[in-house]
Amino acid sequence: WRCWSHQAPGGPQPVEVGLDELGPGSPSGWARYVAGVAWAFGRRGIEVPGADLLLDSTVPVGSGLSSSAALTGAVAVAIDDLTGARLERSRLVGVCHDAEALFVGAPTGTLDQTAVLLAEEGSALCIDFARGSATPVPLAGAGPLAVVDTGVRHAHAEGAYGERRRECEAAAGALGVARLSAADPASAERLLEGRLAARARHVLTENARVEETVRRLRSGEDIGELLMASHRSLRDDFEASCSELDAVVDAARAAGAAGARMTGGGFGGSVIVLGLTEADLRPAATAALAPFGRVPAGVFAAVPSGPAGRLL
């Protein structure tokens, strides 16, 4: 394979990838996400031919907006088309997860890949991993959505993101459940202490907030306070926020937003805001980040789109 990316440092310089030499750690850099998808197809017995790939994206890298899942999802759809494999979308989710988790080494789940590959235009997606379901939820009446990219970058393949996952696994083990989401909230509060109690409290209350958000969206009720409660839980119990994210959330609310929360893996990245247009949000976000010596890396409208797919 030969790969180019308009987002690569220094511009689109070619990276050559030998398909018979693929393995975790080779190649390195941004091309590993592309190569990892080809490798994951190969693990499923699907022969991937040589190809030239030119990559371009409007998703800010490292911004908590699933840029890696967007990349692997687009490449997976392209390879599926190129090889004629015609895998079901749920299997393509597994391909993309293998590329990120096994090839790249990022300790992610499959939420982002599921959203990229199973989304429906104009809708949110309610994903229930216990049941293996992904159900569209109309967003038409929720109000305008906008995103602030704070410019604070994160890397999921290392650091605190993986630590949070290990803490959740430890909490589940202490409670005797396979998934932390299956734990009884009262038991978690009674049996866990300190950091593990806080992590479990976030996961369990967040699941309840998701269910209530879906209910309210379907009935046309406001969800702004649920977004605010979600951010507070991410900030205080999960400790996955940062000062810049908190400042933008507070500024958006003060500017009249119905609600706001950090989005993505945390420790940097972006804030999603409900109830303000891009034009109304930009001055508030700029003022919020000024004390940190930053300006927003991006402020833009968020429009729920359909899944990754072939355009031409």
Side-chain angles (χ1 to χ4, degrees):
W1 276 24
R2 292 186 301 174
C3 309
W4 296 261
S5 173
H6 284 290
Q7 282 65 52
Q13 301 298 318
V15 176
E16 294 195 7
V17 178
L19 293 176
D20 57 348
E21 301 171 356
L22 292 181
S26 178
S28 60
W30 64 265
R32 60 189 171 157
Y33 287 91
V34 177
V37 178
W39 174 82
F41 269 94
R43 292 184 78 233
R44 288 159 172 79
I46 299 169
E47 184 176 354
V48 179
D52 288 346
L53 287 85
L54 176 61
L55 307 173
D56 198 6
S57 179
T58 58
V59 181
V61 176
S63 62
L65 298 174
S66 307
S67 60
S68 59
L71 173 57
T72 58
V75 173
V77 169
I79 293 178
D80 187 64
D81 186 65
L82 180 67
T83 60
R86 297 182 177 84
L87 297 183
E88 294 182 359
R89 285 297 173 110
S90 59
R91 293 191 65 192
L92 288 181
V93 169
V95 166
C96 295
H97 180 254
D98 284 357
E100 289 204 56
L102 303 182
F103 195 91
V104 175
T108 67
T110 57
L111 186 151
D112 293 352
Q113 299 91 339
T114 301
V116 166
L117 289 163
L118 297 177
E120 288 195 13
E121 186 173 355
S123 297
L125 197 65
C126 178
I127 304 169
D128 188 326
F129 292 102
R131 295 183 175 88
S133 64
T135 308
V137 181
L139 275 174
L145 289 169
V147 170
V148 178
D149 177 4
T150 65
V152 180
R153 293 298 178 245
H154 65 264
H156 280 176
E158 58 186 5
Y161 182 90
E163 181 183 1
R164 294 300 179 278
R165 179 163 181 163
R166 290 189 292 272
E167 289 167 343
C168 289
E169 291 169 349
L175 294 169
V177 294
R179 295 170 177 263
L180 187 50
S181 61
D184 172 60
S187 297
E189 288 291 339
R190 185 177 68 254
L191 298 174
L192 298 178
E193 296 180 349
R195 184 175 297 175
L196 293 190
R199 304 301 187 248
R201 185 165 52 248
H202 166 70
V203 170
L204 295 172
T205 59
E206 187 76 347
N207 282 348
R209 281 187 290 271
V210 168
E211 292 176 354
E212 177 63 10
T213 297
V214 170
R215 187 195 70 77
R216 292 191 187 188
L217 284 172
R218 286 175 173 160
S219 62
E221 299 176 56
D222 177 65
I223 64 168
E225 186 49 48
L226 290 169
L227 294 180
M228 299 301 297
S230 177
H231 184 79
R232 289 191 293 270
S233 183
L234 284 160
R235 180 192 66 198
D236 300 336
D237 282 338
F238 214 57
E239 297 182 275
S241 188
C242 67
S243 298
E244 292 89 345
L245 290 168
D246 297 340
V248 171
V249 167
D250 291 343
R253 187 57 177 246
R261 73 185 288 275
M262 57 157 279
T263 187
F267 315 103
S270 298
V271 171
I272 188 164
V273 178
L274 174 66
L276 286 181
T277 65
E278 173 188 350
D280 292 332
L281 180 57
R282 186 179 299 277
T286 301
L289 292 175
F292 303 97
R294 291 182 174 276
V295 295
V299 180
F300 49 90
V303 180
S305 67
R310 182 169 181 163
L311 298 179
L312 299 173

